[in-house]
Amino acid sequence: MRDFLVLSIILGSVPICLVNPYFGVLMWYWVTYFNPHRFTWGIAYNFPVALAIAGPTLLGLFFTRKSIRSLAIRESVLLMMLWMWFTFTYIHAQGVPLFAANMADAAYEMDHVSKILLVTFAMILVITTKERLRGLMLVTGGSLGMLAVKGALFGLRTSGDSRVWGPPDSFLSDNNAFGLALNMCLPLLFFLASDEKRRWMRICLRIMFLCTIVVVLLTYSRGALLGLAVVLTAIIFKSRHKFAGLVLAVVTGVLVLSFAPPAWMDRMGEFAQGHLDSSAEERLVSWGTSWNFAHDYPLTGGSFDVLPNVNVFQRYQPRPLPLGFKSSAPHSIYFQLLADHGFPGLGLFLLIVGSCFWSLWKIRRTARHTPSARYLVNYCHMIEVSIMGFMVSGAFLGFVYLDVIYEMIGAVVVLKMLCINEVRASTASSLDEQEQSTDERFAELAVAG
């Protein structure tokens, strides 16, 4: 029954995606984040749902008139450059015998990243109004939020003694990736709820927000825990009720420490006391290996997934891994980019993130002085905190190719275009009013004369 329902929704959406690419983009993010097919047990489980949605959506862009001005925005251009650099390092690595063992994984990752970026650029083209932007954020926040509600119910049933994982066989299946994505979802849920006029929707978003906090803790991911602390702190300082938020955060922290299950306290206790367990030691060895490797391949790196390549890892590791492991992933987005794509790849990514923060600050400042654009302020806050959470958690988690970060970068481009349009419309309206006032004054003078 579930298979029939999921396949009916997916296949029934195909013609709509073709004539309405905006709907296709929403469907893509719903399928990518919520993974409805992974909750089935039959033919739908391995059905290529993402391809079924992405194909007609991208094809539909050619049959609809869309302005491509947004692709000339700074962040769009930098993202294209990063994609080109990924392609260059992938092609270069194919000619290096040392990297032969990771080429199959690199091919898969190159295909995966290319799909993400293609849909990101499609999203940039079709999100042209504030209603569409809100729809996109609701789909993203709602998809991850529903997973959080499901995870919170599981945690309640098991008293928190078991870790919460994402949908199986998806990019969120790993508990660390799931915790990272949920951290990025938190600001979306919070700021969407603060702007929501419908009471029932506002309540749903707040329930998802609370469940997401709980599930981040129940992933048992220490990197996600650090990101959670930063995200919640940023939300408190950006909210209108800072003191109440601070009190609530303190009370929540006390409750967590008082009622957390022993397994969670054991895992987090070692970390809080500065003791290095095998997982932390593995990270330090992996970071050292990435740095040593970058000395020999500073420009091109070794392409995707180079460090799990045993031949590469053992040649550059500063000391053996704990527990007898032969190789390890970088466990950090920064060292992952350094090893996979060299210093230029790392530099380009950091330049994109820095550009996003700068653009969000400028949009926020402009929107506050443009009445029709003030709705953009909350969107700037939510995306800024979301990216911040990724950069903090990502320092200890190797998921730089996570879909959510590229969606947030694309959302920055959308905000810039919406801000430009609002300022132009406001300026034109002011000029019309001035011209009308001048005409009325001339008419009064003519009557008086």
Side-chain angles (χ1 to χ4, degrees), residues 145-367:
M146 284 302 297
L147 291 178
V149 172
K150 178 178 178 293
L153 293 175
F154 171 79
L156 181 65
R157 182 164 58 87
T158 60
S159 301
D161 288 326
S162 299
R163 296 188 189 187
V164 175
W165 307 80
D169 297 321
S170 71
F171 79 98
L172 294 176
S173 59
D174 184 271
N175 67 310
N176 293 301
F178 192 38
L180 176 57
L182 291 180
N183 271 335
M184 298 184 70
C185 172
L186 274 172
L188 274 62
L189 295 171
F190 179 85
F191 288 106
L192 285 171
S194 67
D195 274 349
E196 183 56 55
K197 300 295 188 294
R198 294 165 293 183
R199 185 171 181 271
W200 68 269
M201 178 65 79
R202 191 164 61 248
I203 292 173
C204 289
L205 290 170
R206 286 173 177 167
I207 290 173
M208 289 180 187
F209 177 79
L210 294 175
C211 289
T212 301
I213 296 174
V214 172
V215 173
V216 171
L217 296 172
L218 292 180
T219 61
Y220 282 62
S221 171
R222 291 172 291 194
L225 178 63
L226 285 174
L228 177 65
V230 171
V231 167
L232 290 181
T233 302
I235 287 175
I236 289 172
F237 280 100
K238 287 179 177 292
S239 70
R240 291 189 291 267
H241 308 287
K242 296 179 178 58
F243 181 75
L246 189 60
V247 171
L248 182 61
V250 172
V251 171
T252 302
V254 171
L255 291 175
V256 168
L257 294 177
S258 301
F259 298 102
W264 191 89
M265 290 299 296
D266 289 343
R267 180 167 176 80
M268 301 303 170
E270 292 291 323
F271 175 66
Q273 295 170 16
H275 298 156
L276 296 180
D277 58 9
S278 59
S279 178
E281 180 66 21
E282 181 185 356
R283 278 170 166 74
L284 293 177
V285 174
S286 298
W287 296 348
T289 305
S290 299
W291 184 254
N292 292 341
F293 174 75
H295 287 170
D296 281 357
Y297 296 92
L299 295 179
T300 59
S303 191
F304 302 96
D305 292 329
V306 66
L307 275 203
N309 183 336
V310 176
N311 297 327
V312 173
F313 197 94
Q314 293 185 349
R315 176 178 293 194
Y316 292 98
Q317 65 183 30
R319 58 185 182 276
L321 285 166
L323 303 179
F325 291 126
K326 293 183 178 180
S327 66
S328 175
H331 295 292
S332 168
I333 60 172
Y334 307 108
F335 287 105
Q336 184 179 17
L337 281 166
L338 184 62
D340 288 2
H341 309 291
F343 285 98
L346 174 61
L348 264 174
F349 187 83
L350 293 178
L351 185 60
I352 292 171
V353 172
S355 177
C356 286
F357 283 133
W358 173 251
S359 294
L360 290 171
W361 178 78
K362 290 183 67 177
I363 294 168
R364 194 161 56 240
R365 187 182 64 174
T366 302

